[in-house]
Amino acid sequence: MYDFVVVGAGPAGSRFSRRAAERRYDVLTLERGTVGEPLACSGHVSTDIWEFAPDGARAELLQNEVYGARFHVGGPGSDDYPFYKREVVSNVIDRVGLDRLLAEAAREAGADLREDHSVTAVDEKRDRVEVTASTPDGTETFEARMVAGCDGPVSRVRSELGLPDPGEKLQGVLAFAEDDDPGDYVDVHLTAPRFFAWRIPRGEAGVEYGLAAPPGSEPSAKALFEEFTAGYDVETVDFCAGMIPVGPAETVTGRRGFLLGDAAAQTKPFTGGGILYGMTAADHAAREIDPERPSTLRDYEDAWRDDLSTEIRLGHWIRRAYSLPESVQHAGLSAFSGEIGVHMDKPTSFFSKEHLRKLLSGS
């Protein structure tokens, strides 16, 4: 019997697998396809990513360094409001490569990571959990003391455990243009209903264009995306789409199971990004959960919420600004644009001494 069966080998799943294996737990990790495929997430991340990645990852994965963002109330060609730092704010990385490096680190730590294993059922028993997966050779059932659902926004584990869905899901779409662009700024357009569209320079790797909107919106997210990229007069390739969960439910733990990452909606409400939040929660899970003591699931629940709930709550307030009247958006962006002291993963940094000092010096 395994200590943990981890379902999903994205950043949160691989991070937890690695940390749990380093603690000498017997870990089986199941990935439904090939690690990193298909791509369904942006590669724009804070520089904190390297604290979670294996040694040498930066040299292998880095595509561009970003110093700030230009915010637009309208589409391409509209006036912009720059927000910037004098040092690097964020990095653009090879997103598929990140997943593969994190998965390999989990394997090296001792996790048994198997690709092409699609989980079809999860059954919580009194003393164990049974996880059934479709494999290249048929169907196989694995027993473990606990199961970790790290299988994305449409989580099979969440459904099988009867855990509540995230508060909201957005439809995200993205694609790439092949232009060489080493630009210092990302562009953010407050044009999508209740969210935004983006343009991210990726150096020699091209340019990423993306957009997210509520599912069922009219026009659709894909139609909005086509209108957005037409405004930039570009042809894109490698179009992909996926759901973005926003707002964790009141619980992400069951009797012998728990959720991590997008499955738990451990994401930033104001950007939809969840790589850092998911891996932060994974570290809490590996530290707090004893697979032989189901009561420790409560310790995990408390730990990750103590760490991230304030950031998530403030992130919801930031997102509300996306739906303000355009005149108010113009006024607010004009008032606050310029040099900043904000961390892209931490809304609480808006109230930091560094940021307040930047605001006052620019006034």
Side-chain angles (χ1 to χ4, degrees):
M1 181 185 295
Y2 294 96
D3 290 309
F4 295 102
V5 170
V6 180
V7 182
S14 289
R15 178 70 178 186
F16 175 76
S17 298
R18 174 186 175 185
R19 287 306 194 203
E22 288 173 343
R23 289 175 175 267
R24 300 293 187 266
Y25 290 123
D26 196 2
V27 180
L28 172 66
T29 305
L30 305 177
E31 170 58 40
R32 66 178 179 179
T34 300
V35 171
E37 299 177 10
L39 174 68
C41 177
S42 174
H44 181 220
V45 296
S46 78
T47 55
D48 290 354
I49 190 72
W50 309 121
E51 298 175 15
F52 295 85
D55 291 343
R58 187 179 186 279
E60 184 172 343
L61 301 178
L62 182 67
Q63 295 177 334
N64 196 20
E65 295 181 320
V66 173
Y67 288 78
R70 292 183 292 251
F71 280 79
H72 307 254
V73 175
S78 59
D79 292 342
D80 64 81
Y81 300 91
F83 292 77
Y84 64 91
K85 284 187 175 183
R86 299 184 188 277
E87 67 271 13
V88 173
V89 174
S90 56
N91 289 164
V92 184
I93 64 169
D94 175 354
R95 183 64 181 78
V96 172
L98 174 67
D99 278 17
R100 291 175 178 169
L101 279 183
L102 293 172
E104 185 56 32
R107 283 192 174 106
E108 290 176 356
D112 179 2
L113 196 157
R114 305 185 192 183
E115 297 177 298
D116 297 318
H117 280 59
S118 181
V119 170
T120 57
V122 178
D123 189 10
E124 285 181 303
K125 304 289 188 179
R126 183 188 61 80
D127 59 345
R128 67 192 188 282
V129 62
E130 296 179 353
V131 180
T132 302
S134 174
T135 78
D137 299 320
T139 300
E140 191 170 356
T141 298
F142 306 94
E143 291 188 342
R145 292 180 174 86
M146 286 194 182
V147 61
C150 313
D151 49 341
V154 187
S155 169
R156 183 60 181 260
V157 174
R158 185 176 65 226
S159 175
E160 290 287 306
L161 297 183
L163 293 174
D165 288 338
E168 179 186 8
K169 292 176 187 173
L170 299 172
Q171 179 65 57
V173 295
L174 59 85
F176 303 88
E178 297 178 347
D179 308 324
D180 182 350
D181 188 346
D184 293 337
Y185 285 75
V186 301
D187 286 280
V188 178
H189 295 264
L190 304 178
T191 53
R194 292 164 48 195
F195 214 67
F196 61 85
W198 63 86
R199 179 187 186 278
I200 300 173
R202 304 175 67 92
E204 295 180 358
V207 180
E208 175 187 319
Y209 294 87
L211 178 147
S217 60
E218 289 295 339
S220 67
K222 186 177 184 204
L224 288 167
F225 179 77
E226 290 172 349
E227 179 182 351
F228 172 59
T229 52
Y232 272 107
D233 192 24
V234 294
E235 293 186 7
T236 58
V237 297
D238 298 329
F239 178 88
C240 52
M243 300 304 292
I244 301 173
V246 178
E250 63 271 16
T251 182
V252 298
T253 55
R255 298 191 306 276
R256 284 192 170 271
F258 58 98
L259 306 177
L260 281 170
D262 282 2
Q266 291 161 336
T267 61
K268 296 180 288 184
F270 58 104
T271 70
I275 298 174
L276 267 294
Y277 282 15
M279 289 198 289
T280 296
D283 281 359
H284 285 302
R287 187 165 46 246
E288 301 292 343
I289 297 174
D290 181 341
E292 296 185 349
R293 297 172 56 217
S295 63
T296 58
L297 288 169
R298 181 72 255 175
D299 299 327
Y300 157 63
E301 189 93 68
D302 291 342
W304 83 261
R305 291 184 189 274
D306 286 346
D307 195 354
L308 297 174
S309 62
T310 299
E311 305 292 355
I312 291 173
R313 184 168 61 253
L314 289 175
H316 280 292
W317 281 99
I318 292 173
R319 186 178 162 207
R320 290 179 184 180
Y322 302 165
S323 301
L324 292 172
E326 288 189 7
S327 59
V328 178
Q329 290 177 334
H330 278 293
L333 291 170
S334 177
F336 291 108
S337 64
E339 189 174 359
I340 59 173
V342 175
H343 189 291
M344 69 175 285
D345 287 325
K346 301 175 181 177
T348 52
S349 63
F350 186 85
F351 305 99
S352 67
K353 291 181 180 179
E354 179 189 1
H355 183 57
L356 293 175
R357 188 163 53 247
K358 300 293 186 186
L359 289 177
L360 292 172
S361 65
S363 62

